[in-house]
Structure formats: structure tokens, C-alpha cells
């Protein structure tokens, strides 16, 4: 089991570049990936996203990348013709407006069109090769973090499912005596009304009890809950890639069964047990939101 909470950061020098990669992962129902990389390396952003998506199916993932040059590179191109045009126009402006300010280099560099940064395809491929290596190492670090958190989460979830199983068993044991309880209650009510037990029609009484028991029958709900519990444990102990989604679905189904039991229940004991069961399922639903 992997938690969606994870963190990893690696900084390493490969060839002429210093790479720094940081990945943060938080819980989220769907996949939401955000990448931050300098504009000069924007052609690599799609490659970064495709690689990260292979390892993170759910959650809010933030990837921060910083690449620095250790040696001079021929990536900067200056458009001297455009610079001269700007310089001439600015000088004319200062002259016409009788301004004393000189046209400085600081002013010219504010025109972004003059200085252009271009990385050739061969150099970009070399940069990507190093970045891919660092990304994979950082991803592995995040996954180790997620697995460690996932083991803690697994212990909590299995504890909750054990408690739910005990409640289901208590519900089943209570439901076994439900027919006798209905008969006793109905018979007592009739005695109070008629004030003479000899006037009670036993056949009619048995029929009414049977109808009540049929309407309140929860045997199917109990069996489905047992099935959900078994599936829940199997998924938790598996390598299911959609573990979080499947556990969330099962917890919704268990919640529905407990609701049905509560609506059918004619016994306060069953109502209380179903309420307790729903409370535990809600705790599970809260926890599984962080399962990858």
C-alpha cells in the first residue's frame, strides 16, 4: 500500500549541469500534476510530465526543477540589428524631448526581443538525459516515502475493518433472536389490549410475527457486508494499482448496507450497532482518500 503523501529532493551534478529536482505529493481524488521549470527548458516539460505520470496515478503532484550551467554555453543570441534600432529610436526620443538621460545598456536589456536564448536539439537531448536520471531517482525516493506512510495507513485501516467485522457478527447474533423478540412484544401488546391471553389467536399471531420478520430481514445485508469485508482485506494486501479507488467504493457499499439495516431495524440494539458501523466506515472513507 502506498500513501499519496510523499516527498523527495535530489541535487546532483551530471556533466556540465547542476540539477535540482524536488517532488511533493499530496492526496487528491484525481491526478493533478504541476511542473515548474525555467522557460529555457520548456521543451522538456512534456517529457517530465509523461515520466512522472507513469508512477503517480492519483494525487496532487508538484515537481520543481532547477538546472544550472557550470560552464559557459553558446545558448545566448543577441540581435544586434534590433538593438541598434532600439538605441537609435531611444536617442531620437531623448533628443526630441530634450532629455538629458543617455540610452544605457540597462535600458536596452529590458527589451526581451534583443536577447534570445536558444538551446540546440543536441544540447537539449543531453540535458534531458541527465534530468531523466535525476527524476527517476527522486521519484523512487518519493515512492519509498509513500510506502512507509502506506504501511502505517494499512495498519489503521485493517484495525477499523476488524472492528466492523465484530459489529457485523454482533448484528447477526442479535438478528437470530429477532423473531422471538417480535412474538414476545406483539403478544404482550395484545394482552394489554385484550386483557385476556385466552382470546389471542395463535395462528394470527404467528402470521403477524412472520410478516414483521420478513420486512425486517437483514440476512442479505449481513452477507454482503461480510463479502465487502473480505474484499477489503484482499485489496489492502494486494498490489492493486487502483487500490484507493476500489477501497473507497467498498467503503461506500458498506455504508449503504449499514443504512439499510438501520432503516429495517425494529430493535434498538440493531440500530445502535448500525450507527456504530457507519461511524467506523466514515473513518475508513476519510483514510482511504490518502491511498494511492
Amino acid at each position: 500500500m502506498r500513501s499519496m503523501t510523499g516527498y523527495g529532493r535530489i541535487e546532483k551534478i551530471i556533466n556540465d549541469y547542476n540539477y535540482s529536482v524536488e517532488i511533493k505529493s499530496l492526496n487528491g481524488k484525481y491526478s493533478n500534476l504541476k511542473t515548474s521549470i525555467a522557460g529555457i527548458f520548456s521543451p522538456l516539460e512534456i517529457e517530465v510530465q509523461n515520466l512522472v505520470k507513469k508512477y503517480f496515478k492519483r494525487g496532487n503532484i508538484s515537481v520543481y526543477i532547477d538546472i544550472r550551467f557550470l560552464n559557459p554555453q553558446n545558448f545566448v543570441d543577441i540581435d544586434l540589428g534590433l538593438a541598434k534600432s532600439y538605441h537609435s529610436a531611444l536617442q531620437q526620443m531623448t533628443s526630441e524631448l530634450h532629455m538629458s538621460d543617455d540610452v544605457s545598456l540597462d535600458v536596452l536589456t529590458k527589451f526581451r526581443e534583443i536577447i534570445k536564448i536558444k538551446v540546440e536539439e543536441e544540447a537539449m537531448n543531453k540535458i534531458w538525459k541527465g534530468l531523466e536520471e535525476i527524476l527517476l531517482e527522486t521519484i523512487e525516493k518519493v515512492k519509498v516515502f509513500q510506502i512507509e506512510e502506506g504501511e502505517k495507513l494499512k495498519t489503521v485501516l485493517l484495525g477499523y475493518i476488524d472492528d466492523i467485522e465484530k459489529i457485523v457478527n454482533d448484528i447477526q447474533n442479535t438478528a437470530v433472536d429477532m423473531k422471538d423478540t417480535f412474538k414476545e412484544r406483539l403478544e404482550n401488546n395484545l394482552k394489554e389490549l385484550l386483557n385476556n391471553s385466552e382470546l389471542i389467536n395463535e395462528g394470527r399471531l404467528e402470521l403477524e410475527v412472520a410478516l414483521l420478520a420478513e420486512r425486517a430481514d437483514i440476512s442479505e445485508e449481513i452477507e454482503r457486508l461480510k463479502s465487502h469485508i473480505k474484499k477489503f482485506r484482499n485489496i489492502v494486501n494486494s498490489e492493486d494499482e487502483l487500490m484507493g479507488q476500489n477501497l473507497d467504493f467498498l467503503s461506500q457499499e458498506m455504508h449503504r448496507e449499514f443504512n439499510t439495516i438501520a432503516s429495517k431495524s425494529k430493535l434498538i440494539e440493531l440500530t445502535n450497532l448500525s450507527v456504530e458501523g457507519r461511524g467506523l466506515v466514515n473513518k475508513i472513507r476519510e483514510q482511504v482518500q490518502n491511498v494511492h
Side-chain angles (χ1 to χ4, degrees):
M1 176 181 284
R2 281 169 57 190
S3 166
M4 276 192 278
T5 302
Y7 176 79
R9 184 181 184 278
I10 290 180
E11 186 170 350
K12 183 185 284 188
I13 294 174
I14 298 179
N15 298 323
D16 296 328
Y17 309 99
N18 184 77
Y19 297 90
S20 176
V21 175
E22 182 182 57
I23 299 177
K24 295 179 180 178
S25 171
L26 297 172
N27 65 308
K29 190 172 183 180
Y30 305 105
S31 176
N32 182 26
L33 174 61
K34 294 180 180 179
T35 54
S36 175
I37 188 170
I40 183 176
F41 305 112
S42 59
L44 300 178
E45 191 164 13
I46 293 177
E47 296 288 346
V48 170
Q49 292 183 349
N50 289 338
L51 181 62
V52 173
K53 285 178 181 178
K54 289 181 181 179
Y55 298 92
F56 302 100
K57 304 299 182 184
R58 297 177 71 206
N60 294 307
I61 314 296
S62 299
V63 182
Y64 305 93
I65 298 170
D66 182 52
I67 304 172
R68 301 190 181 187
F69 304 111
L70 299 179
N71 297 307
Q73 306 281 341
N74 295 322
F75 295 157
V76 180
D77 183 32
I78 300 175
D79 191 333
L80 290 175
L82 184 60
K84 289 176 182 178
S85 296
Y86 273 123
H87 186 268
S88 176
L90 291 171
Q91 280 190 323
Q92 183 181 355
M93 185 186 298
T94 56
S95 175
E96 292 290 337
L97 298 176
H98 305 290
M99 298 171 65
S100 59
D101 295 341
D102 293 329
V103 180
S104 66
L105 181 63
D106 180 58
V107 172
L108 286 174
T109 55
K110 290 180 179 178
F111 296 98
R112 295 183 180 181
E113 300 89 347
I114 293 176
I115 300 177
K116 299 176 182 178
I117 302 175
K118 183 179 180 181
V119 182
E120 297 297 331
E121 184 177 352
E122 184 179 347
M124 192 66 80
N125 290 336
K126 184 180 178 182
I127 293 169
W128 167 244
K129 188 175 180 180
L131 178 57
E132 184 181 28
E133 179 182 327
I134 306 301
L135 271 170
L136 288 171
E137 290 180 16
T138 311
I139 287 169
E140 189 59 33
K141 200 170 184 179
V142 175
K143 285 175 64 180
V144 169
F145 191 110
Q146 290 181 329
I147 290 170
E148 290 174 353
E149 290 297 307
E151 286 303 308
K152 299 175 187 175
L153 193 55
K154 179 178 178 179
T155 301
V156 172
L157 289 173
L158 289 176
Y160 284 146
I161 209 69
D162 287 344
D163 291 340
I164 287 175
E165 186 174 46
K166 292 175 185 175
I167 289 173
V168 172
N169 288 335
D170 288 342
I171 288 174
Q172 187 173 32
N173 293 332
T174 304
V176 167
D177 301 324
M178 190 160 50
K179 188 173 181 180
D180 291 337
T181 303
F182 287 158
K183 183 176 180 180
E184 183 180 347
R185 288 184 179 179
L186 191 57
E187 191 172 22
N188 290 335
N189 289 339
L190 287 172
K191 284 180 179 180
E192 289 181 7
L193 287 171
L194 300 174
N195 199 24
N196 186 350
S197 61
E198 294 181 359
L199 296 178
I200 297 176
N201 185 315
E202 286 295 330
R204 181 64 179 177
L205 178 62
E206 289 294 338
L207 178 60
E208 291 296 329
V209 169
L211 290 172
L212 281 172
E214 184 179 355
R215 286 195 292 267
D217 181 54
I218 54 173
S219 57
E220 290 185 6
E221 286 75 16
I222 291 172
E223 289 305 312
R224 283 195 291 266
L225 278 168
K226 287 182 177 181
S227 175
H228 295 330
I229 289 169
K230 183 179 179 180
K231 287 180 182 177
F232 193 96
R233 288 197 179 108
N234 288 340
I235 293 173
V236 165
N237 292 305
S238 72
E239 299 294 330
D240 191 344
E241 290 187 0
L242 299 176
M243 184 179 293
Q245 294 178 16
N246 289 332
L247 292 179
D248 187 38
F249 172 75
L250 278 177
S251 60
Q252 291 179 47
E253 291 299 303
M254 286 190 285
H255 196 274
R256 184 177 294 111
E257 300 301 341
F258 278 122
N259 273 340
T260 304
I261 290 172
S263 65
K264 285 186 174 183
S265 174
K266 305 298 180 183
L267 303 177
I268 189 64
E269 296 88 349
L270 289 177
T271 301
N272 290 339
L273 286 169
S274 63
V275 168
E276 189 177 350
R278 279 180 294 178
L280 287 169
V281 171
N282 285 333
K283 290 181 180 180
I284 286 179
R285 292 182 70 180
E286 184 178 335
Q287 293 295 328
V288 297
Q289 300 309 312
N290 199 30
V291 177
H292 189 270

